[in-house]
Amino acid sequence: MSPDTPPVAPGASPAAPADGAPTAPAGSSAPADGAPGAPAGPGAGRGITYADAGVDTAAGDRAVELMKDAVAATATPAVVGGVGGFAGLVDVSALRDYRRPLLAASTDGVGTKVAIAQALDVHDTIGQDLVGMVVDDIVVVGARPLLMTDYIACGRVVPERIANIVRGVATACAAVDTPLLGGETAEHPGLMGPDEYDVAGAATGVVEADRRLGAERVRPGDVLIALAASGLHSNGYSLVRRVVERAGWPLEREVPEFGRTLGEELLEPTRLYARVCLDLVDAVDPADADPADLRLRALSHVTGGGLAANLARVLPAGLIADVDRCGWVVPPVFDVVRRLGDVPWEDLEGTLNLGVGMVAVVAPEAADDATRLARRAGVPAWVLGTVHEAGDYTPRGRVVAGTKGVDGGAVDAFGSYRTQ
């Protein structure tokens, strides 16, 4: 725990000074900078309190009271204990039934999308973005989430605001059957403005070693299934905010292409894919399937870097996937950003998801089943492309490879995007 940290979730404990500095008795006056009799606090004649330093532990306790029911609602039968302990506990006895369990871990934040939430004073949706960024990253290897934790740094604890953020995290955690096992709020006066905050989280999951999804399973002829994004999700907001700022558009502006205000569109929460992806795992490759021949080969979460860069990460060296840009209609928000900022298409596709939030790489015989299952779950899905031997394929567009430090396969994005 950091020194200035009232708790926000089961793994936290009340804040207390932790820097080892002695505390002057109440009402005393300590010399400042060695000057005898110099006043030592905001008011002469008394010492500096923690509140004088900008930390309100009572506000932190109030925030916990406001959020604890939402956090408790995420608990599964495996959770041990309740809110307020120094650490959260989860029973992992079920791992004894695994032949070789692998733990998957991920940590992430929401990025500068929090600036939109702060500007609109709407804080109950940003938590879903956090869960989407963190939990869906461990699902891509086929891992089932065991727990999530969150962390909020802020300039000043406003109990209702902090509680709304955590309620958003908790609601999303419940939607993907993941206990919010612990968390903390750190009050950082002087480092952050009174109304500034940032959020981060971490998740842990488990997958059977011989059922782990990834590049080593992908083969020539495999089919790419796109799962639609709900909007911008939580990447590229530095570009988006710069475009909006330069155009002088207020967040309250009604945008006909969106059918709502600019701010409402920019704050649209990240779609959660964990449940539909794990349902795909179970439906396409039931428990008795041969682990050496799983039909769901890999998943790619389309986050920072865009579609091609993230898809290339789950392809092995020597293979290339084709993606026809005219295979779907780019949602209006992306085209508005492009036109408003005169952003080149190449830069746009290397920054934003352009309407594809997750990609499933499946065996050809599983493509129809995968597409139908996703659609039944309420997620628009379509065939995005095919995987080829690189030596037998002639690229037709922009080839992306070697992204995120991965020496793997490549993606050929060709054709022109369709817009409304």
Side-chain angles (χ1 to χ4, degrees), residues 72-144:
T74 72
T76 65
V79 173
V80 178
V83 176
F86 281 93
L89 299 172
V90 61
D91 185 344
V92 294
S93 300
L95 269 60
R96 291 179 299 194
D97 298 330
Y98 283 68
R99 296 179 299 279
R100 185 187 168 204
L102 301 180
L103 292 181
S106 174
T107 186
D108 207 342
V110 176
T112 62
K113 187 172 184 175
V114 297
I116 307 296
Q118 291 165 12
L120 293 173
D121 197 24
V122 175
H123 311 284
D124 59 352
T125 63
I126 211 76
Q128 178 167 324
D129 293 290
L130 183 62
V131 175
M133 291 297 101
V134 174
V135 173
D136 285 346
D137 269 3
I138 64 171
V139 168
V140 298
V141 297
R144 298 179 183 277

Side-chain angles (χ1 to χ4, degrees), residues 334-354:
F334 301 100
D335 195 40
V336 168
V337 169
R338 181 187 67 83
R339 291 185 283 107
L340 196 59
D342 196 22
V343 182
W345 272 114
E346 184 172 324
D347 197 72
L348 207 70
E349 74 175 5
T351 306
L352 306 175
N353 68 61
L354 296 184

Side-chain angles (χ1 to χ4, degrees), residues 235-248:
N235 303 104
Y237 272 78
S238 294
L239 170 64
V240 172
R241 290 169 51 241
R242 179 66 178 272
V243 167
V244 169
E245 179 185 8
R246 178 178 291 181

Side-chain angles (χ1 to χ4, degrees), residues 51-363:
D52 291 334
V55 179
D56 188 345
T57 56
D61 290 340
R62 172 62 178 158
V64 173
E65 285 299 317
L66 292 174
M67 73 180 70
K68 68 180 184 180
D69 287 345
V71 173
T74 72
T76 65
V79 173
V80 178
V83 176
F86 281 93
L89 299 172
V90 61
D91 185 344
V92 294
S93 300
L95 269 60
R96 291 179 299 194
D97 298 330
Y98 283 68
R99 296 179 299 279
R100 185 187 168 204
L102 301 180
L103 292 181
S106 174
T107 186
D108 207 342
V110 176
T112 62
K113 187 172 184 175
V114 297
I116 307 296
Q118 291 165 12
L120 293 173
D121 197 24
V122 175
H123 311 284
D124 59 352
T125 63
I126 211 76
Q128 178 167 324
D129 293 290
L130 183 62
V131 175
M133 291 297 101
V134 174
V135 173
D136 285 346
D137 269 3
I138 64 171
V139 168
V140 298
V141 297
R144 298 179 183 277
L146 294 172
L147 61 96
M148 179 167 172
T149 57
D150 66 2
Y151 176 84
I152 304 170
C154 63
R156 173 176 57 110
V157 169
V158 178
E160 294 76 15
R161 179 192 299 154
I162 298 300
N164 279 336
I165 297 170
V166 178
R167 284 194 196 104
V169 177
T171 300
C173 279
V176 294
D177 298 322
T178 304
L180 182 56
L181 199 62
E184 190 161 23
T185 294
E187 198 167 20
H188 291 164
L191 183 62
M192 304 177 76
D195 294 321
E196 293 179 349
Y197 65 80
D198 197 11
V199 296
T204 301
V206 61
V207 61
E208 189 71 75
D210 61 9
R211 293 180 69 89
R212 177 171 63 93
L213 306 179
E216 64 277 6
R217 294 192 179 276
V218 179
R219 306 171 186 176
D222 284 347
V223 178
L224 312 177
I225 305 298
L227 305 183
S230 57
L232 292 165
H233 285 184
S234 297
N235 303 104
Y237 272 78
S238 294
L239 170 64
V240 172
R241 290 169 51 241
R242 179 66 178 272
V243 167
V244 169
E245 179 185 8
R246 178 178 291 181
W249 280 24
L251 295 176
E252 297 78 19
R253 180 188 179 113
E254 292 285 343
V255 182
E257 293 94 331
F258 305 157
R260 54 182 171 177
T261 67
L262 173 64
E264 289 170 332
E265 180 68 29
L266 298 187
L267 211 56
E268 177 67 30
T270 300
R271 172 167 272 144
L272 302 175
Y273 297 99
R275 189 183 291 271
V276 66
C277 286
L278 292 175
D279 285 348
L280 271 174
V281 169
D282 293 336
V284 174
D285 296 300
D288 59 354
D290 182 354
D293 193 29
L294 299 182
R295 299 189 301 163
L296 177 55
R297 319 285 205 200
L299 292 166
S300 175
H301 192 195
V302 183
T303 54
L307 172 59
N310 283 286
L311 181 54
R313 299 167 69 184
V314 299
L315 301 177
L319 298 187
I320 185 169
D322 64 58
V323 171
D324 187 348
R325 295 184 180 115
C326 70
W328 73 100
V329 176
V330 174
V333 63
F334 301 100
D335 195 40
V336 168
V337 169
R338 181 187 67 83
R339 291 185 283 107
L340 196 59
D342 196 22
V343 182
W345 272 114
E346 184 172 324
D347 197 72
L348 207 70
E349 74 175 5
T351 306
L352 306 175
N353 68 61
L354 296 184
V356 180
M358 184 76 77
V359 178
V361 185
V362 302

